[in-house]
Amino acid sequence: MIKKTDICTIENSKITFNNEVIFETPTQNFSDFAKEAYKSLKLNYPKFHKMDNLSKLAFLASEIILKDEDHTSTALVFANKSSSLDTDSKYQESINSQENYFPSPAVFVYTLPNICVGEISIRHKMQTENAFFVLDEFDEEFLNTYSEQILQSGKAEKVLCGWVELYRESYCAFVYLLTA
């Protein structure tokens, strides 16, 4: 039987951890919100500023839960509906806006949704399983069943699960930690 220990939600310019609001701002723009949250939470990961918005959303929710503890044996299982469409659109715009067809390599890096789990894995030196699913809607039962298989296999001691949906200015993160 798996157990949900910590939960972080991010939406409507607010971050909640275990049902307690830990950060809130009137800022509506996601990029500004993410910068303000990063600064307010006193996070120290300079690479954050180069990430795309989906990665920033997943990173912020994950940092709240993972903190500075050892998570080398924590797996990651995330999902969303839009994949990396927000960044894909920006990449296409960078192609269209260049007269000499010189798209931005800094944007191209983030044109896969699993890059956000890679950013979290690098930050926390995770050496376990990770997956990113694209689903029509949040399916907690699916994510938990998949995570339970990882835990039962012994490939990880914990699994960080979540829904991280972001497209344009619409965003929502629901991230939680599971243990056996």
Side-chain angles (χ1 to χ4, degrees), residues 145-164:
T145 300
Y146 190 89
S147 298
E148 187 170 21
Q149 292 172 355
I150 293 172
L151 292 168
Q152 288 175 349
S153 74
K155 293 180 180 179
E157 294 173 8
K158 299 175 186 175
V159 179
L160 186 66
C161 266
W163 179 260
V164 286

Side-chain angles (χ1 to χ4, degrees), residues 104-128:
S104 170
V107 176
F108 176 74
V109 169
Y110 293 97
T111 57
L112 292 171
N114 65 334
I115 295 301
C116 68
V117 295
E119 293 283 8
I120 297 162
S121 294
I122 291 167
R123 163 75 164 151
H124 292 280
K125 299 176 178 69
M126 295 173 163
Q127 301 170 2
T128 57

Side-chain angles (χ1 to χ4, degrees), residues 15-180:
I15 300 175
T16 305
F17 179 61
N18 294 333
N19 295 319
E20 180 183 329
V21 175
I22 61 168
F23 177 77
E24 189 170 15
T25 180
T27 302
Q28 295 298 311
N29 175 284
F30 178 79
S31 293
D32 293 339
F33 164 77
K35 287 177 198 170
E36 289 178 32
Y38 177 88
K39 186 176 179 181
S40 174
L41 297 168
K42 297 181 172 94
L43 300 176
N44 184 21
Y45 194 66
K47 195 174 175 187
F48 175 84
H49 303 289
K50 294 181 181 184
M51 293 179 191
D52 74 323
N53 285 339
L54 179 63
S55 295
K56 286 179 180 179
L57 178 63
F59 185 87
L60 285 170
S62 299
E63 284 300 293
I64 302 301
I65 294 173
L66 300 176
K67 303 175 185 95
D68 291 324
E69 299 168 12
D70 178 15
H71 284 283
T72 53
S73 60
T74 299
L76 292 165
V77 178
F78 281 21
N80 77 4
K81 181 177 182 174
S82 299
S83 186
S84 58
L85 187 58
D86 185 70
T87 302
D88 295 347
S89 298
K90 290 176 182 158
Y91 183 66
Q92 185 62 49
E93 288 169 13
S94 79
I95 291 172
N96 295 344
S97 69
Q98 303 295 327
E99 290 188 23
N100 297 327
Y101 182 77
F102 189 70
S104 170
V107 176
F108 176 74
V109 169
Y110 293 97
T111 57
L112 292 171
N114 65 334
I115 295 301
C116 68
V117 295
E119 293 283 8
I120 297 162
S121 294
I122 291 167
R123 163 75 164 151
H124 292 280
K125 299 176 178 69
M126 295 173 163
Q127 301 170 2
T128 57
E129 302 290 314
N130 71 61
F132 195 108
F133 296 98
V134 179
L135 308 170
D136 286 334
E137 59 187 18
F138 177 55
D139 186 344
E140 188 170 4
E141 182 179 343
F142 171 79
L143 295 176
N144 290 354
T145 300
Y146 190 89
S147 298
E148 187 170 21
Q149 292 172 355
I150 293 172
L151 292 168
Q152 288 175 349
S153 74
K155 293 180 180 179
E157 294 173 8
K158 299 175 186 175
V159 179
L160 186 66
C161 266
W163 179 260
V164 286
E165 173 63 22
L166 182 136
Y167 184 64
R168 305 211 187 259
E169 290 304 317
S170 175
Y171 61 93
C172 173
F174 177 72
V175 177
Y176 54 97
L177 193 62
L178 295 174
T179 59

